[in-house]
Amino acid sequence: MPWPAHVVSKSSRLTDTETIENKFYGFYDAILHECFPLTQFTVTPQYVTAEAQTGGIGTIDFAITYVIEPLELESPVLFIEVKPPIHLSPMTTRKSAENQVRSRFGVLAHLVRIPKLYGISAIGRQLSYYTYDKASGVVEPPPLPDNPYVVLDTAPIERWDTNIMQEEGRTKFLAMVEEIKQMVRDLWYVLCIFWYSTSPSRPPRDTVT
């Protein structure tokens, strides 16, 4: 089953020679709002990090936060860094894109409440997936070793192996979305137990779909 017509329409207006990354923002915004209902999730374009406020690395293009209002708790569950399609071929721009995603995990780690945080490098429609394990602190896939004296491809193009508009890419993305929603349901269950044990008031029923 393909993406809805409005997503397909936005994609059709984008070219593989586009040089401006924010031309893709509306496209990814439409996909994220399609997958993450606003009744349970906050989709934040240009998510401001603590480092950005102190002159550091800047904003994250898209961050998805699950909001549990009764407990005033927010947990990032996914972020996406978007680059234009012309950044896919040069190894230097792929390396920069991957390093940016890896650095974001360090910025967001202290906010994470679920077992695994997903980060995506989106170069045009091509996606490369990364994960941060809260328990171990490990980021996957592991970085490839670099050498300042040798030109090495430490972010091989094969990592951007799925096109989100093709069936395989869409299926992989939606599987990730379902995994995230299950982690949120599990988080809600744990917090409900805590709530019942500490408060006479009952929180609203879990409605993550």
Side-chain angles (χ1 to χ4, degrees), residues 3 7 15 22 36 40-41 46 55 61-62 82 135 142-143 148 160 194:
W3 290 108
V7 173
T15 69
N22 62 17
F36 294 95
Q40 294 100 38
F41 296 90
Q46 298 297 307
D61 292 334
F62 286 95
V82 180
W160 287 263
F194 173 78

Side-chain angles (χ1 to χ4, degrees), residues 131-200:
T131 59
Y132 161 77
D133 183 272
K134 181 174 174 60
S136 66
V138 172
V139 174
E140 295 285 353
L144 297 178
D146 204 354
N147 187 325
Y149 301 105
V150 181
V151 177
L152 297 174
D153 188 358
T154 60
I157 196 169
E158 290 78 16
R159 286 191 171 164
W160 287 263
D161 60 352
T162 57
N163 183 317
I164 196 169
M165 291 305 295
Q166 296 175 356
E167 185 60 29
E168 181 182 0
R170 179 179 178 275
T171 298
K172 183 174 181 177
F173 186 85
L174 293 180
M176 176 203 67
V177 170
E178 289 307 309
E179 182 183 355
I180 289 171
K181 289 181 177 180
Q182 184 58 55
M183 287 190 288
V184 169
R185 284 190 285 266
D186 294 341
L187 172 64
W188 182 267
Y189 177 74
V190 171
L191 293 175
C192 279
I193 293 176
F194 173 78
W195 183 284
Y196 276 110
S197 67
T198 59
S199 173

Side-chain angles (χ1 to χ4, degrees), residues 11 14 16 24 27-28 123-127 162-165:
S11 177
L14 298 168
D16 290 335
F24 279 80
F27 168 64
Y28 281 104
I123 302 184
R125 300 173 188 81
Q126 297 297 129
L127 304 187
T162 57
N163 183 317
I164 196 169
M165 291 305 295

Side-chain angles (χ1 to χ4, degrees), residues 17-204:
T17 56
E18 181 57 64
T19 60
I20 303 174
E21 68 181 51
N22 62 17
K23 293 287 186 68
F24 279 80
Y25 286 3
F27 168 64
Y28 281 104
D29 188 70
I31 288 176
L32 293 173
H33 279 96
E34 187 70 29
C35 295
F36 294 95
L38 293 179
T39 51
Q40 294 100 38
F41 296 90
T42 301
V43 178
T44 308
Q46 298 297 307
Y47 183 89
V48 179
T49 66
E51 286 189 347
Q53 296 173 344
T54 57
I57 197 169
T59 60
I60 297 174
D61 292 334
F62 286 95
I64 314 303
T65 302
Y66 181 66
V67 181
I68 305 174
E69 291 181 341
L71 303 181
E72 297 181 351
L73 173 65
E74 296 187 10
S75 174
V77 296
L78 167 67
F79 67 90
I80 300 179
E81 291 288 357
V82 180
K83 302 299 177 189
I86 62 166
H87 283 204
L88 188 60
S89 294
M91 69 172 68
T92 53
T93 48
R94 291 197 308 272
K95 179 178 179 179
S96 176
E98 177 169 297
N99 287 343
Q100 185 181 41
V101 170
R102 292 185 184 280
S103 70
R104 299 304 194 191
F105 287 118
V107 173
L108 296 173
H110 69 290
L111 300 172
V112 178
R113 301 291 182 267
I114 58 175
K116 182 193 298 183
L117 173 64
Y118 273 94
I120 293 177
S121 170
I123 302 184
R125 300 173 188 81
Q126 297 297 129
L127 304 187
S128 179
Y129 290 78
Y130 303 83
T131 59
Y132 161 77
D133 183 272
K134 181 174 174 60
S136 66
V138 172
V139 174
E140 295 285 353
L144 297 178
D146 204 354
N147 187 325
Y149 301 105
V150 181
V151 177
L152 297 174
D153 188 358
T154 60
I157 196 169
E158 290 78 16
R159 286 191 171 164
W160 287 263
D161 60 352
T162 57
N163 183 317
I164 196 169
M165 291 305 295
Q166 296 175 356
E167 185 60 29
E168 181 182 0
R170 179 179 178 275
T171 298
K172 183 174 181 177
F173 186 85
L174 293 180
M176 176 203 67
V177 170
E178 289 307 309
E179 182 183 355
I180 289 171
K181 289 181 177 180
Q182 184 58 55
M183 287 190 288
V184 169
R185 284 190 285 266
D186 294 341
L187 172 64
W188 182 267
Y189 177 74
V190 171
L191 293 175
C192 279
I193 293 176
F194 173 78
W195 183 284
Y196 276 110
S197 67
T198 59
S199 173
S201 301
R202 293 190 176 187

